[in-house]
């Protein structure tokens, strides 16, 4: 059976009060837990006051005692930006505090200003550092000292100062054994990351701002990687993101999508500007008219909004285009002045639309299994 989840970058206008933003995001996770959402993912960014959560583990830790069943995902911890031993320690500790309600989402980093501040501007080097980091993290979690690591990007050793009977030199291991589920986010069509995740047996998350046609390539690419490694690919490990808003009328949804100063337009303007910086454009050279025009187009392409009936129809079409998946991740958008509307939407999704969509997906699985 497929599941319903929540994904927050989070992304808010930088003019908003930080404490208000944090509490808004916390309340959304608490609501999702009460509604039966299976997962809540939080992003990590250091150098943007529009994406202000610097540690998904710290943020999620504040919610462990205020939730009962929801699993927390780090979406994602950018491994090239921290020493693997530090990440291993924090992730293992969180896994214990959450009693295993944890998915360890990792990546190479997606914010260009983070790349700059950490001197990680080389895309290939970041990717290789991510792989080296996760290998070292798993080594820390599984091997007793003495051991050493001399890599291209990181070094670590624990050989001489070890007193096992006193616990000195030993490293805490995760609550989940041998380790929490590992997940990566994927974006481009025929993603090499998807193939690599399939080989490693990791979970995969397709972003909410990715075209459906590209997402449709992610699972076949993942499955090919799994087959190469002699693994059987299970779609339950695939998370798929989408922005969904259930409104009282289609006209209300249309007005929000058409608003050049609305929440969806601003969201994609931010992503468009960030994308240009990531591609090497200087801030002064950004064509803002083009950014705004493209943002409006992307909002219409990527956001599923309207009445419950409209949203259900569009989600069914989306599922049929991309194929079977395990968890639908709904995007948490900025809610300033509209929190009641958004909370009502998340509630209606869980109580009305999701049971119908899930039943449709189950029927499709049954029909395909019978073929």
């Amino acid at each position: 059976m497929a599941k319903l989840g929540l994904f927050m970058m989070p992304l808010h206008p930088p003019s908003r009060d930080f404490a208000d933003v944090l509490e808004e995001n916390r309340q959304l996770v608490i609501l999702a837990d009460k509604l039966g959402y299976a997962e809540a993912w939080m992003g990590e960014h250091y150098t943007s006051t529009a994406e202000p959560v610097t540690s998904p583990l710290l943020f999620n830790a504040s919610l462990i005692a205020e939730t009962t069943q929801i699993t927390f995902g780090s979406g994602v911890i950018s491994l090239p930006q921290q020493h693997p031993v530090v990440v291993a320690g924090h992730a293992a500790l969180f896994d214990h505090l959450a009693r295993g309600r944890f998915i360890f989402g990792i990546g190479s980093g997606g914010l260009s200003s983070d790349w700059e501040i950490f001197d990680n501007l080389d895309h290939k080097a970041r990717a290789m550092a991510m792989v080296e980091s996760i290998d070292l993290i798993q080594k820390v979690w599984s091997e007793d000292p003495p051991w050493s690591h001399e890599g291209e990007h990181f070094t670590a050793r624990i050989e001489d100062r070890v007193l096992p009977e006193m616990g000195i030199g030993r490293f805490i291991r995760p609550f989940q054994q041998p380790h929490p589920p590992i997940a990566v986010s994927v974006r481009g069509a025929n993603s090499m990351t998807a193939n690599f995740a399939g080989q490693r047996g990791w979970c995969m998350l397709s972003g909410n701002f990715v075209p459906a046609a590209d997402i449709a390539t992610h699972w076949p690419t993942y499955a090919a990687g799994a087959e190469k490694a002699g693994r059987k690919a299970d779609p339950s490990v695939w998370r798929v993101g989408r922005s969904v808003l259930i409104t009282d009328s289609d006209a209300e949804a249309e007005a929000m999508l058409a608003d050049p100063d609305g929440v969806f337009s601003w969201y994609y303007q931010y992503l468009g500007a960030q994308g240009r910086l990531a591609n090497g454009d200087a801030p002064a050279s950004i064509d803002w008219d083009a950014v705004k025009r493209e943002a409006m187009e992307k909002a219409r392409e990527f956001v599923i909004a309207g009445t419950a009936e409209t949203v259900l129809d569009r989600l069914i079409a989306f599922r049929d285009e991309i194929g079977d998946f395990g968890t639908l991740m709904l995007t948490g958008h900025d809610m300033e002045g509209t929190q009641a509307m958004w909370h009502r939407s998340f509630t209606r999704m869980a109580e009305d639309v999701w049971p119908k969509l899930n039943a449709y997906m189950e029927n499709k699985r049954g029909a395909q299994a019978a073929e």
Side-chain angles (χ1 to χ4, degrees):
M1 179 177 291
K3 300 176 182 178
L4 197 57
L6 171 67
F7 182 88
M8 295 180 288
M9 299 168 64
L11 186 53
H12 303 276
S15 59
R16 292 197 61 191
D17 180 79
F18 187 36
D20 290 345
V21 162
L22 289 176
E23 189 56 26
E24 180 180 293
N25 291 322
R26 291 181 74 257
Q27 290 303 317
L28 181 55
V29 176
I30 292 170
L31 174 66
D33 179 67
K34 291 177 179 177
L35 292 170
Y37 284 61
E39 299 172 3
W41 295 65
M42 172 57 71
E44 173 198 89
H45 304 90
Y46 281 90
T47 59
S48 174
T49 53
E51 298 182 88
V53 174
T54 54
S55 171
L57 297 181
L58 281 175
F59 176 87
N60 288 337
S62 78
L63 288 157
I64 293 171
E66 297 194 54
T67 57
T68 60
Q69 58 83 33
I70 203 163
T71 295
F72 299 100
S74 53
V76 296
I77 294 175
S78 301
L79 295 185
Q81 297 172 180
Q82 304 175 62
H83 195 282
V85 173
V86 174
V87 177
H90 290 173
L93 175 60
F94 181 87
D95 197 34
H96 279 275
L97 292 172
R99 290 294 188 267
R101 287 195 283 147
F102 177 46
I103 300 172
F104 185 31
I106 62 171
S108 60
L111 182 63
S112 60
S113 53
D114 280 357
W115 302 345
E116 182 177 18
I117 201 169
F118 289 108
D119 193 23
N120 284 320
L121 290 168
D122 186 288
H123 177 72
K124 183 178 180 180
R126 285 197 312 275
M128 297 306 296
M130 183 195 82
V131 174
E132 182 181 334
S133 176
I134 190 60
D135 286 345
L136 179 52
I137 288 169
Q138 291 183 270
K139 181 184 184 75
V140 168
W141 284 345
S142 61
E143 294 188 18
D144 292 328
W147 57 260
S148 65
H149 175 85
E150 297 289 336
E152 183 177 352
H153 304 279
F154 305 103
T155 61
R157 71 182 184 92
I158 185 72
E159 296 176 326
D160 302 325
R161 293 161 176 82
V162 179
L163 290 174
E165 64 275 16
M166 303 297 292
I168 297 173
R170 304 298 295 271
F171 208 89
I172 62 170
R173 295 180 178 178
F175 179 84
Q176 300 175 83
Q177 287 295 312
H179 54 72
I182 297 171
V184 289
S185 62
V186 296
R187 184 172 181 176
N190 306 306
S191 166
M192 291 180 61
T193 302
N195 187 275
F196 188 70
Q199 293 181 47
R200 290 288 184 105
W202 295 345
C203 304
M204 178 175 67
L205 197 159
S206 299
N208 63 291
F209 43 78
V210 180
D214 290 350
I215 293 177
T217 71
H218 290 169
W219 185 251
T221 306
Y222 180 100
E227 183 178 5
K228 180 179 180 180
R231 301 177 182 272
K232 181 176 176 56
D234 181 351
S236 67
V237 303
W238 187 21
R239 279 87 175 159
V240 179
R242 253 341 177 231
S243 295
V244 176
L245 175 63
I246 300 174
T247 53
D248 293 333
S249 69
D250 288 339
E252 182 183 1
E254 173 60 28
M256 293 187 66
L257 290 169
D259 184 356
D261 300 314
V263 61
F264 298 126
S265 174
W266 189 86
Y267 182 89
Y268 287 104
Q269 285 182 47
Y270 177 93
L271 293 182
Q274 147 61 19
R276 282 164 168 76
L277 293 178
N279 289 331
D281 292 359
S285 69
I286 293 177
D287 182 344
W288 286 104
D289 288 336
V291 168
K292 293 177 181 179
R293 183 175 61 253
E294 292 167 9
M296 300 294 288
E297 294 170 354
K298 288 181 178 179
R300 290 191 175 280
E301 179 182 1
F302 298 143
V303 176
I304 296 175
T307 65
E309 294 77 13
T310 297
V311 166
L312 177 60
D313 288 344
R314 291 193 58 191
L315 284 172
I316 287 174
F318 176 66
R319 184 269 172 222
D320 286 346
E321 182 173 0
I322 69 169
D324 195 14
F325 57 85
T327 306
L328 178 64
M329 309 294 297
L330 301 192
T331 310
H333 285 277
D334 185 75
M335 299 182 186
E336 186 175 23
T338 59
Q339 188 175 66
M341 177 193 69
W342 277 104
H343 281 202
R344 189 164 56 250
S345 176
F346 280 102
T347 300
R348 294 182 69 185
M349 182 67 192
E351 296 178 351
D352 182 15
V353 174
W354 180 247
K356 297 172 184 175
L357 177 61
N358 197 28
Y360 175 83
M361 294 174 65
E362 285 293 315
N363 288 336
K364 292 282 285 189
R365 291 191 191 106
Q368 291 171 352
E371 291 178 354

